[in-house]
Amino acid sequence: MRLALSLMFLVLILSPLSSAQLVFSHDATVPQEVVEGVQRALEEALVERLDKEGELSAVLEEDEMGEYVLSLSYGERQLTYRLLGEASGYEKRLVTALNHDGLSLFASLPDLRLTSFSGRGYGAKIENSLYAEGDRFTVLDAREREQGVVVVSEVAEEEGVLLLSQLSGKPLFLGMGLRESGNKSVSLSLSLNKDMDPSLDLIHTWPLPMHPYAVQFGLGASGASRIYGSVGLSAKLPLSQFSSARNPLVRSLSLDASVLFSSGYDLSREELFYQASGELGLTYSLTNWALSLSVGNRVAASNAALLEQGLFLKLTTAYTYTL
């Protein structure tokens, strides 16, 4: 192995009070684009996951075969990785490899954590069947910072694994801990239809033991004339189940559908009314906030007349509190 470190490039990256320290050196013969790609991969896949008081040492060398070898050490733990294939793919492949292999650098890991990744979802090993479809978890890094939210899409009891889909948040890595966040929620939403008539709704969602379905109970007011109560069935299907949880847009998008039946009082007409509606929408979630655009069909009537019938378009923003 050629250790002619004729020109040592030493980089110290200090992220104040938020990430570990990276000490990165390399052979002078390693191309700059390879150096930069490896450094970015280390920052993304490891530095943010390690304790802020620690120091990750990385040495990138070129061996006699012309291949690049990356040696990592964190405390007393060490890991060696050989970069193979085309140089243009080093960064992506290294992030993928360190997502799993990097766990060997951790002294300890949470009991309940992400243990596998399929590209579209995650897995978490469990020792009992206390969890059910629809249960939600907040994903935490090594410093207990919230990184995202996942939902149990399936419980594989025979394998002792929870299959998880990401609903929102940052890129997740294996070894991150899971904290139960409750599966019931209360949300306050403000909607505007195509005529710019506002509706304000307080909705309580209670998941059914079959992902992604849930029961909804609500109270609301439409415009200045209608107040109502509603009950119905809803479904929230993360798009990451069909695409890639690594995609920054897809991992926060979900396909939402609902069928609601309502009854209330129309103040302007001074009479009771009844309403049935069904809608399908696309929702983008950011922590507790969500923005959705949906289309649907609605029928509303009183004892004396048909009040409303037809398609509608609705823009909604909502804040959700998980119970």
Side-chain angles (χ1 to χ4, degrees), residues 67-262:
E67 296 179 343
Y68 304 121
V69 179
L70 178 65
S71 301
L72 303 173
S73 61
Y74 183 74
E76 298 180 353
R77 295 173 176 264
Q78 297 181 343
L79 174 65
T80 300
Y81 185 77
R82 186 175 295 273
L83 304 181
L84 302 174
E86 296 294 328
S88 59
Y90 285 165
E91 181 178 349
K92 182 178 180 180
R93 290 195 295 272
L94 185 56
V95 168
T96 301
L98 292 177
N99 180 28
H100 184 275
D101 299 336
L103 296 180
S104 62
L105 298 176
F106 290 79
S108 61
L109 293 169
D111 293 333
L112 184 59
R113 63 184 185 272
L114 300 179
T115 55
S116 61
F117 177 60
S118 66
R120 298 181 180 180
Y122 298 87
K125 289 188 177 297
I126 54 174
E127 297 181 355
N128 51 58
S129 56
L130 297 177
Y131 306 106
E133 293 181 21
D135 285 351
R136 295 191 181 192
F137 296 91
T138 299
V139 184
L140 307 173
D141 66 8
R143 278 155 279 156
E144 300 295 315
R145 297 178 301 183
E146 297 182 359
Q147 300 296 303
V149 177
V150 294
V151 61
V152 179
S153 57
E154 184 179 346
V155 180
E157 293 187 9
E158 294 183 359
E159 293 80 12
V161 174
L162 297 178
L163 302 181
L164 308 165
S165 297
Q166 187 169 1
L167 291 174
S168 63
K170 302 176 182 179
L172 306 179
F173 295 97
L174 302 188
M176 286 186 170
L178 300 174
R179 182 181 68 199
E180 292 183 69
S181 59
N183 55 12
K184 305 173 185 64
S185 65
V186 175
S187 62
L188 182 65
S189 68
L190 176 64
S191 305
L192 293 174
N193 61 23
K194 64 178 182 178
D195 298 321
M196 302 303 290
D197 292 328
S199 296
L200 186 65
D201 293 274
L202 183 66
I203 300 173
H204 177 44
T205 302
W206 193 297
L208 296 173
M210 182 185 297
H211 176 74
Y213 301 104
V215 176
Q216 283 189 348
F217 306 92
L219 294 173
S222 178
S225 61
R226 292 181 183 177
I227 54 175
Y228 52 84
S230 62
V231 62
L233 183 68
S234 67
K236 186 180 186 69
L237 190 62
L239 290 188
S240 59
Q241 291 186 199
F242 305 99
S243 182
S244 171
R246 293 296 185 194
N247 187 301
L249 178 62
V250 170
R251 65 171 174 259
S252 294
L253 280 175
S254 62
L255 190 64
D256 293 9
S258 65
V259 177
L260 296 175
F261 300 92
S262 308

Side-chain angles (χ1 to χ4, degrees), residues 5-27:
L5 299 176
S6 57
L7 180 60
M8 177 76 75
F9 179 66
L10 183 63
V11 179
L12 294 177
I13 297 179
L14 296 172
S15 182
L17 302 179
S18 64
S19 62
Q21 178 180 354
L22 172 63
V23 179
F24 180 40
S25 61
H26 65 87
D27 278 353

